[in-house]
Each structure stands twice: as structure tokens, then as C-alpha cells.
Amino acid sequence: MSSQKLSAWLLWIYLLLFLFIMLSPLFVMGGAALNDSRFPSVYPWKGFTTQWFVDLWNDPRMWIAGRNTLLVAFGVVALALPIGTAGAILINSLSGATRAIVYGFMVAPILTPGAVIGISTLLFWRTFSIPAGLHLSALGQTSFIAAYVMLLVLARLQSFDAGLEEAALDLGASHGQVLRRILLPHLYPALGAGAIIGFFQSVENFNVTLFTRGGSDTLTVYVGSMVRTGAPPTINALALILILITVTATIIYEVLRRRALAREMAADALLK
Amino acid sequence: MSAAVELAGVSVDFGKFRAVDNVNVTVQPGEFFSFLGPSGCGKTTILRMISGFNDPTEGVVRIGGQDMRGIRPNKRPTALIFQNLALFPLMPVWENISFGLEVRGVDKTKRRAKAEELLNLVDLHDVADRRISQLSGGQKQRVAIARALAVEPKVMLLDEPLSALDLKLRQHMRAELRAIQKRTNVTFIYITHDQGEALAMSDRVAVMSQGRLQQVAPPQEIYNAPANGFVASFVGEINAFQGELSAVSGGIGEFKTANGLFRAKVGPGVSPGIAAKLYVRPEHTILAAAARPGANNIPVDVADVAFEGNFINISAKTSDGRSLTVEMRNDGTTALPPAGSKMQFTFDPAKALILADTTLPKPGNWP
Ligand SMILES: Nc1ncnc2c1ncn2[C@@H]1O[C@H](COP(=O)(O)OP(=O)(O)O)[C@@H](O)[C@H]1O
Ligand SMILES: [Mg+2]
């Protein structure tokens, strides 16, 4: 066997192994959601059932937790986008030690454990007599999700030609108009990515939420409490639904993106 | 009527480095005025100062007689065409052009109409809805001009706008720009390191070197009567001789060089004892079989003959190895001297100039 063939084989084996390790838990999870067994497992297979979906649908706690999760996530995105963008624009205009310090402050929450962020959010707002609740969860999550947005926007700013800003000013634009018509449109892709990443970071967040939520549930907290009381397969049903939503959304996004790209290339080709 | 733009004793420092040094210039309304000089001599800095992006360290900028101190770029009656054009890549052509109107609150139908009108003015058709990336270099150029004209500036500032185009298009755009300027009667301040461009387009040219003005004059005067050695050697081809001025009488000086004693007109501010050089343009020299009485003569060997069609470029070597250039017009019967032949390099005293030797060390990126 030639070494070329061998490396091709190894690559295939690696790929299969990779996909297996990545995806098999998802299949087990999905399978367990459809297994007519009181314990979440695929084996022994006791027959197909939609019972766990029905149970989930009929659980009012789940609906409240789901609504809360969305509320927090939208709140976080609404806060993190302007804060992260402003931070990136500020850092981009600085240099030297000031830049390093501001940058450090901005990214520190990413490296801080969620429990620490959760507890400090709680303590900080308590000094202003603000009680725990979903609003604090949103604020706590924003502190590190804004940093993700900042990193994305900062990367996008590297490709911005500052000359465009000057050109707009020269034509009589105010700084506000430059921001709205020139800079923000350039940042839209990063803001879109920031919104999506921020949204999912918020949905999946457990640690910060656990400490700040007060008496309210979010989906992660709801699942966490169910696991403690014996993990019924309704959790698997919920997980399967979330996986399907994510996969569908990804496919739709990718299809739309490719169509837009093809349209652009066709338009260019037409003119050449 | 007050001057369109007046620079009164302006200097610009970047830290310890003085990029623009005590420049005094008055540009008249409706004038096509050029700043000409090698890369890095401070041309862009001057334009950015007029448009308000740099503040002068010393001196005052006035536009239409008004002191510009404290007036930001978006409040000045100028429009700058950037060296890289700086068109907005995310807007279609017509929105680029009407951007200046948009920020002034003009409504969409009027903006669209104005954009179409300006596209016609710069001779661009059927591109209003294209994206910038779909335009050729020359088309982008025109869009940039239209965008600047849209705000009806008192002064248009153009920073080497043709430098990115290929030669043919550049020649064409020269005439085009000039025509647009005449049509609109807007004051143009044009920056270039290309002397051909400056001479062909401008009403007046300011030659700059290392942040300082060397001469401000109409193109013919710049070429025919350069004020000093820098202008003489930067604008056009020229033969230069090192030497020393001895006697001067009737405007003609005697100049002692390694190749002999020559006579030539004495330029402004030159007198014996001042470092000077003798300059003569290739088209003012003659390659003769024998020395001509009354002319300056140097025996040379013909090194290379380049037949260019309408003229002939000959390079000749003196006995001390210096290279001289002669340019002969081709009248259809002109005989070419064979390479290697011994000839006389001759020129009339009235055609040569003795000028102060202010030739500065050439920066690396001369055109
Ligand atoms: N912002 C700046 N900071 C420091 N030096 C500068 C700056 N802008 C220009 N310079 C320097 O000033 C000189 C003149 O620059 P510029 O006006 O761009 O020249 P030109 O347009 O004639 O090529 C150059 O040596 C350049 O390096
Ligand atoms: Mg320049």
C-alpha cells in the first residue's frame, strides 16, 4: 500500500471516529426520547412512544421556563450588542497601554467562572437594593456576552477603511451620520454573528443564571432541577426538540447565504 | 473678489518633523491650481489642511476670505477627492454620489435626480444602480468626481486622482477633468507628482520640495524660466553642469566647468560666490559636426541614438565620462549621427540658465 493511500485511509478513520464521538450521544439522546421506558435509555428498547413529548407539552413549568429563557436571551442581545460595539470602537481608537488595559477589562468576564460572575452580580446589585430575578440574570450574562460581541466587532473593524469616515465627514456628514451610514453597515455581519452567538450563549447559560434568577426558572435551570429529581425522559424529548431547531435553523441560514452569494456572482459575471 | 483659498505662512509639524514649511499661496476663484512635487514633499498634508483634517501648526488658512480656524471638515465648503477615492463600497453608485445631499436632508427623489444629472456631467451612463466593486478604475474615478461635485463645493481638492489609472486612461482623464472644471467653474486644487499632468492641466503650478514652495507660476514659466535648480531638474529633462560663476555682464554670466568656460543667462538671485549650476534643456542643444562660433561647445562621443518618431533622443559622453542628452526634432529628413561618432554638443548662451543649486537630495521614490 502506498503511503498516499495509507494517509487517505487514516484520514477516513479519523473522520468517522470524530463524527461517531460527536454525534453518538445525540443519537442516544434522541433514541431515548422515543423509547417507551421510564428511564432515559435506548437499551433495552421497549417500543416507540411519543409519551415523553406529550408529558413535556403538558408541563406548565416547562412553558414558563421556556418563555423566561427567551426573555433573558432577547434582553441580553439587546444589551450586549450596543455595549460590545461601543467597546470595540473605543478600543480600536486607542493604542499602547491604554488599549491593553481597556481590552483586558473588556475580555476579563469571558475568563471569569460563571459562578463568580453570578455571585458578584447578585452582591453588586444588592448594594442598590435590587433583588435577584431574571433582570439580574440578563445583566450578569451581558457582562461576558458583551465581550464576545466586542471581540467579533473588533475583528471586523480591522477591515474598515478609516478613509471612508473622512470621506463622509468631508461631504458634510455629522459623526452620528458617519456611524449610522458608514460604520454600522460595515459592522452588520459582525453584529449579526454577535446577536446569534449571544442568543445561544444566553440560552445555554446555567451558572450565572442559577445565582441571579431569584425564584424564576429558565430552561437550563428547569432541566437541572429535573435531573436532580431522577431525570425522566421528558428531558430527552426537550433536548431532541432543541437539536432539531438548531439543525433546521443552520440549514436554512446556509441555504440563504449560498443563494445570496450565487446571486452576487451571477450579477458580477453578467457585467464582465 | 476674495481669494478662493489663501495659505498665509502655514507650517505643519508632525512631532519634530516639519512636513509643510512656511507656505504662502493665494488661489483665485475658478482657477485650476496644482501642487507639484516628489512623493513625501507635503502635498497631501496641504490638502488635508485645507479640508480641515490637519491643523496648521503656524499660519492661517482662509477660504473665500474666511478664517478656517475652528471649522471642522464637515462644515467647510471644500470637497476632497482622496488618493484612493474612498468610495462607499456598501452603497450603490447613485447613493455614493448623493451622500452629501442625503446628510443635508434632501429627499430621495431629488437626490436620485441630482445623481443622474451628475453622472451625465461626468459622462457615465447606466451605472447608477451598480455596486462600486462592479466599476472599472476610470468609472470609479468619475463617480468620485461626481460625488464631490454633488455638494457644490467652492473648492475641489484632488489628491493624485489619476495615479491609479493606466497611461491611456490617464491622458484621457486629464482633458476630461479640465473640461469638467471649465464647465462647472469650481476652483480646483490639484495635487500630483507627475509634471506632465501639472503642466498640461493647470492655470498655475506650485512646485514643492521638502515642505517648501520652490516656485509658483503658470506652466510655461515653470518650464521655460525655472526659479532654481530644483524646479529646473524636477520639471522636464535637463542637462546640468557643476561649476563656478565668475563675471556677469548684461545678464549673461561666465561659468567655469570641468568641460570648459561657458556663457549663459544668469537666473534670479544668482551672483558670483553663490552655489550654482548651469542648466540647458535637451531640445535647446544641437549636435554639430564642428564647434559653432558664439555658442558653447563640448566635444562628445555619441553613445546611443533612440529614434522616437517625432523626435530623436541622443545620449552623448564627454571626455570625462559625463552623460549628456540631446533632443532633435524629426522633420522627415533629419540624419541620425552614428553611435560612436565624435561630435560637438553645442548650445546658445541665451538658451541656458545659471540657477541657484538648491537641488535637494532625491528621496527614494521619485517618479
Ligand atoms: N500623520 C502623520 N504623522 C507623521 N508624519 C506624517 C503624517 N502625515 C504625513 N507625514 C509625513 O509628512 C511628509 C509629507 O507627507 P505627504 O503630505 O503625505 O506627502 P505627499 O502627499 O507629497 O507625498 C512625509 O514625510 C510623511 O511621512
Ligand atoms: Mg500624497
Side-chain angles (χ1 to χ4, degrees), chain A residues 13-30 243 246-247:
Chain A
I13 292 170
Y14 172 80
L15 208 64
L16 288 176
L17 218 59
F18 178 84
L19 290 175
F20 179 75
I21 291 171
M22 275 280 292
L23 299 179
S24 54
L26 296 185
F27 281 110
V28 171
M29 169 107 75
I243 290 169
T246 315
V247 170

mmCIF file of all heavy atoms in Angstrom, chain A residues 13-30 243 246-247:
data_model
loop_
_atom_site.group_PDB
_atom_site.id
_atom_site.type_symbol
_atom_site.label_atom_id
_atom_site.label_comp_id
_atom_site.label_asym_id
_atom_site.label_seq_id
_atom_site.Cartn_x
_atom_site.Cartn_y
_atom_site.Cartn_z
ATOM 1 N N ILE A 13 -10.591 7.146 8.677
ATOM 2 C CA ILE A 13 -10.824 6.575 10.007
ATOM 3 C C ILE A 13 -10.986 7.674 11.043
ATOM 4 O O ILE A 13 -11.903 7.665 11.870
ATOM 5 C CB ILE A 13 -9.667 5.624 10.393
ATOM 6 C CG1 ILE A 13 -9.719 4.393 9.496
ATOM 7 C CG2 ILE A 13 -9.742 5.237 11.863
ATOM 8 C CD1 ILE A 13 -8.504 3.511 9.609
ATOM 9 N N TYR A 14 -10.108 8.667 10.915
ATOM 10 C CA TYR A 14 -10.168 9.788 11.850
ATOM 11 C C TYR A 14 -11.520 10.476 11.757
ATOM 12 O O TYR A 14 -12.178 10.757 12.756
ATOM 13 C CB TYR A 14 -9.047 10.779 11.552
ATOM 14 C CG TYR A 14 -9.157 12.050 12.345
ATOM 15 C CD1 TYR A 14 -8.739 12.102 13.673
ATOM 16 C CD2 TYR A 14 -9.711 13.193 11.787
ATOM 17 C CE1 TYR A 14 -8.869 13.247 14.420
ATOM 18 C CE2 TYR A 14 -9.848 14.349 12.524
ATOM 19 C CZ TYR A 14 -9.427 14.371 13.838
ATOM 20 O OH TYR A 14 -9.567 15.512 14.574
ATOM 21 N N LEU A 15 -11.942 10.727 10.510
ATOM 22 C CA LEU A 15 -13.195 11.442 10.278
ATOM 23 C C LEU A 15 -14.380 10.682 10.870
ATOM 24 O O LEU A 15 -15.231 11.252 11.560
ATOM 25 C CB LEU A 15 -13.386 11.614 8.769
ATOM 26 C CG LEU A 15 -14.198 12.828 8.356
ATOM 27 C CD1 LEU A 15 -13.480 14.099 8.752
ATOM 28 C CD2 LEU A 15 -14.451 12.797 6.856
ATOM 29 N N LEU A 16 -14.413 9.357 10.618
ATOM 30 C CA LEU A 16 -15.515 8.540 11.123
ATOM 31 C C LEU A 16 -15.540 8.537 12.642
ATOM 32 O O LEU A 16 -16.588 8.679 13.274
ATOM 33 C CB LEU A 16 -15.394 7.116 10.590
ATOM 34 C CG LEU A 16 -15.730 7.003 9.098
ATOM 35 C CD1 LEU A 16 -15.495 5.578 8.595
ATOM 36 C CD2 LEU A 16 -17.169 7.430 8.842
ATOM 37 N N LEU A 17 -14.339 8.394 13.222
ATOM 38 C CA LEU A 17 -14.223 8.380 14.672
ATOM 39 C C LEU A 17 -14.724 9.695 15.258
ATOM 40 O O LEU A 17 -15.479 9.741 16.232
ATOM 41 C CB LEU A 17 -12.748 8.179 15.040
ATOM 42 C CG LEU A 17 -12.479 7.300 16.258
ATOM 43 C CD1 LEU A 17 -13.064 5.907 16.034
ATOM 44 C CD2 LEU A 17 -10.976 7.220 16.506
ATOM 45 N N PHE A 18 -14.304 10.758 14.600
ATOM 46 C CA PHE A 18 -14.676 12.100 15.037
ATOM 47 C C PHE A 18 -16.197 12.252 15.025
ATOM 48 O O PHE A 18 -16.811 12.660 16.013
ATOM 49 C CB PHE A 18 -14.025 13.121 14.100
ATOM 50 C CG PHE A 18 -14.369 14.547 14.421
ATOM 51 C CD1 PHE A 18 -13.661 15.238 15.399
ATOM 52 C CD2 PHE A 18 -15.385 15.204 13.747
ATOM 53 C CE1 PHE A 18 -13.967 16.541 15.698
ATOM 54 C CE2 PHE A 18 -15.702 16.512 14.040
ATOM 55 C CZ PHE A 18 -14.995 17.188 15.019
ATOM 56 N N LEU A 19 -16.797 11.887 13.894
ATOM 57 C CA LEU A 19 -18.243 12.029 13.774
ATOM 58 C C LEU A 19 -18.964 11.136 14.775
ATOM 59 O O LEU A 19 -19.972 11.522 15.375
ATOM 60 C CB LEU A 19 -18.695 11.698 12.347
ATOM 61 C CG LEU A 19 -18.286 12.735 11.309
ATOM 62 C CD1 LEU A 19 -18.663 12.274 9.905
ATOM 63 C CD2 LEU A 19 -18.918 14.088 11.619
ATOM 64 N N PHE A 20 -18.406 9.932 14.986
ATOM 65 C CA PHE A 20 -19.032 8.998 15.918
ATOM 66 C C PHE A 20 -19.057 9.582 17.325
ATOM 67 O O PHE A 20 -20.087 9.603 17.998
ATOM 68 C CB PHE A 20 -18.270 7.664 15.897
ATOM 69 C CG PHE A 20 -18.837 6.664 16.857
ATOM 70 C CD1 PHE A 20 -20.043 6.001 16.567
ATOM 71 C CD2 PHE A 20 -18.197 6.378 18.056
ATOM 72 C CE1 PHE A 20 -20.563 5.086 17.458
ATOM 73 C CE2 PHE A 20 -18.716 5.465 18.947
ATOM 74 C CZ PHE A 20 -19.902 4.809 18.651
ATOM 75 N N ILE A 21 -17.894 10.090 17.752
ATOM 76 C CA ILE A 21 -17.808 10.617 19.110
ATOM 77 C C ILE A 21 -18.676 11.866 19.265
ATOM 78 O O ILE A 21 -19.325 12.079 20.286
ATOM 79 C CB ILE A 21 -16.335 10.917 19.464
ATOM 80 C CG1 ILE A 21 -15.573 9.594 19.574
ATOM 81 C CG2 ILE A 21 -16.221 11.713 20.758
ATOM 82 C CD1 ILE A 21 -14.086 9.754 19.705
ATOM 83 N N MET A 22 -18.702 12.679 18.188
ATOM 84 C CA MET A 22 -19.509 13.896 18.215
ATOM 85 C C MET A 22 -21.001 13.578 18.277
ATOM 86 O O MET A 22 -21.752 14.179 19.043
ATOM 87 C CB MET A 22 -19.268 14.717 16.934
ATOM 88 C CG MET A 22 -18.081 15.617 16.979
ATOM 89 S SD MET A 22 -18.456 17.120 17.878
ATOM 90 C CE MET A 22 -19.633 17.869 16.746
ATOM 91 N N LEU A 23 -21.410 12.656 17.400
ATOM 92 C CA LEU A 23 -22.844 12.528 17.151
ATOM 93 C C LEU A 23 -23.534 11.425 17.940
ATOM 94 O O LEU A 23 -24.743 11.485 18.169
ATOM 95 C CB LEU A 23 -23.094 12.304 15.654
ATOM 96 C CG LEU A 23 -22.612 13.451 14.757
ATOM 97 C CD1 LEU A 23 -22.870 13.125 13.295
ATOM 98 C CD2 LEU A 23 -23.305 14.753 15.136
ATOM 99 N N SER A 24 -22.766 10.383 18.386
ATOM 100 C CA SER A 24 -23.456 9.255 19.015
ATOM 101 C C SER A 24 -24.247 9.654 20.265
ATOM 102 O O SER A 24 -25.365 9.170 20.462
ATOM 103 C CB SER A 24 -22.478 8.118 19.307
ATOM 104 O OG SER A 24 -21.405 8.603 20.057
ATOM 105 N N PRO A 25 -23.733 10.596 21.093
ATOM 106 C CA PRO A 25 -24.568 10.992 22.231
ATOM 107 C C PRO A 25 -25.893 11.595 21.783
ATOM 108 O O PRO A 25 -26.926 11.389 22.427
ATOM 109 C CB PRO A 25 -23.727 12.049 22.945
ATOM 110 C CG PRO A 25 -22.336 11.806 22.491
ATOM 111 C CD PRO A 25 -22.437 11.279 21.105
ATOM 112 N N LEU A 26 -25.851 12.307 20.654
ATOM 113 C CA LEU A 26 -27.081 12.921 20.169
ATOM 114 C C LEU A 26 -28.085 11.852 19.747
ATOM 115 O O LEU A 26 -29.280 11.969 19.997
ATOM 116 C CB LEU A 26 -26.781 13.862 19.000
ATOM 117 C CG LEU A 26 -25.902 15.069 19.344
ATOM 118 C CD1 LEU A 26 -25.776 15.995 18.144
ATOM 119 C CD2 LEU A 26 -26.468 15.826 20.535
ATOM 120 N N PHE A 27 -27.553 10.796 19.099
ATOM 121 C CA PHE A 27 -28.450 9.721 18.672
ATOM 122 C C PHE A 27 -29.014 8.980 19.877
ATOM 123 O O PHE A 27 -30.208 8.659 19.925
ATOM 124 C CB PHE A 27 -27.732 8.747 17.737
ATOM 125 C CG PHE A 27 -27.634 9.287 16.338
ATOM 126 C CD1 PHE A 27 -26.428 9.682 15.801
ATOM 127 C CD2 PHE A 27 -28.787 9.415 15.557
ATOM 128 C CE1 PHE A 27 -26.349 10.193 14.522
ATOM 129 C CE2 PHE A 27 -28.718 9.928 14.274
ATOM 130 C CZ PHE A 27 -27.495 10.321 13.753
ATOM 131 N N VAL A 28 -28.163 8.731 20.860
ATOM 132 C CA VAL A 28 -28.634 8.063 22.082
ATOM 133 C C VAL A 28 -29.720 8.906 22.737
ATOM 134 O O VAL A 28 -30.790 8.425 23.109
ATOM 135 C CB VAL A 28 -27.456 7.831 23.053
ATOM 136 C CG1 VAL A 28 -27.984 7.338 24.406
ATOM 137 C CG2 VAL A 28 -26.469 6.844 22.456
ATOM 138 N N MET A 29 -29.443 10.203 22.805
ATOM 139 C CA MET A 29 -30.400 11.130 23.404
ATOM 140 C C MET A 29 -31.726 11.101 22.668
ATOM 141 O O MET A 29 -32.799 10.992 23.278
ATOM 142 C CB MET A 29 -29.800 12.529 23.319
ATOM 143 C CG MET A 29 -30.760 13.604 23.659
ATOM 144 S SD MET A 29 -30.370 14.269 25.233
ATOM 145 C CE MET A 29 -28.951 15.218 24.804
ATOM 146 N N GLY A 30 -31.631 11.205 21.331
ATOM 147 C CA GLY A 30 -32.846 11.197 20.513
ATOM 148 C C GLY A 30 -33.584 9.877 20.650
ATOM 149 O O GLY A 30 -34.807 9.840 20.805
ATOM 150 N N ILE A 243 -32.284 20.243 19.503
ATOM 151 C CA ILE A 243 -31.329 19.857 18.452
ATOM 152 C C ILE A 243 -31.946 20.064 17.074
ATOM 153 O O ILE A 243 -31.327 20.642 16.178
ATOM 154 C CB ILE A 243 -30.911 18.386 18.615
ATOM 155 C CG1 ILE A 243 -30.038 18.230 19.867
ATOM 156 C CG2 ILE A 243 -30.126 17.914 17.390
ATOM 157 C CD1 ILE A 243 -29.809 16.785 20.247
ATOM 158 N N THR A 246 -32.085 23.728 16.148
ATOM 159 C CA THR A 246 -30.765 24.246 15.803
ATOM 160 C C THR A 246 -30.352 23.800 14.409
ATOM 161 O O THR A 246 -29.901 24.604 13.587
ATOM 162 C CB THR A 246 -29.709 23.752 16.820
ATOM 163 O OG1 THR A 246 -30.243 23.915 18.122
ATOM 164 C CG2 THR A 246 -28.419 24.507 16.664
ATOM 165 N N VAL A 247 -30.506 22.507 14.127
ATOM 166 C CA VAL A 247 -30.080 21.975 12.832
ATOM 167 C C VAL A 247 -30.873 22.624 11.700
ATOM 168 O O VAL A 247 -30.311 23.065 10.698
ATOM 169 C CB VAL A 247 -30.246 20.441 12.803
ATOM 170 C CG1 VAL A 247 -30.052 19.903 11.390
ATOM 171 C CG2 VAL A 247 -29.253 19.790 13.755
#
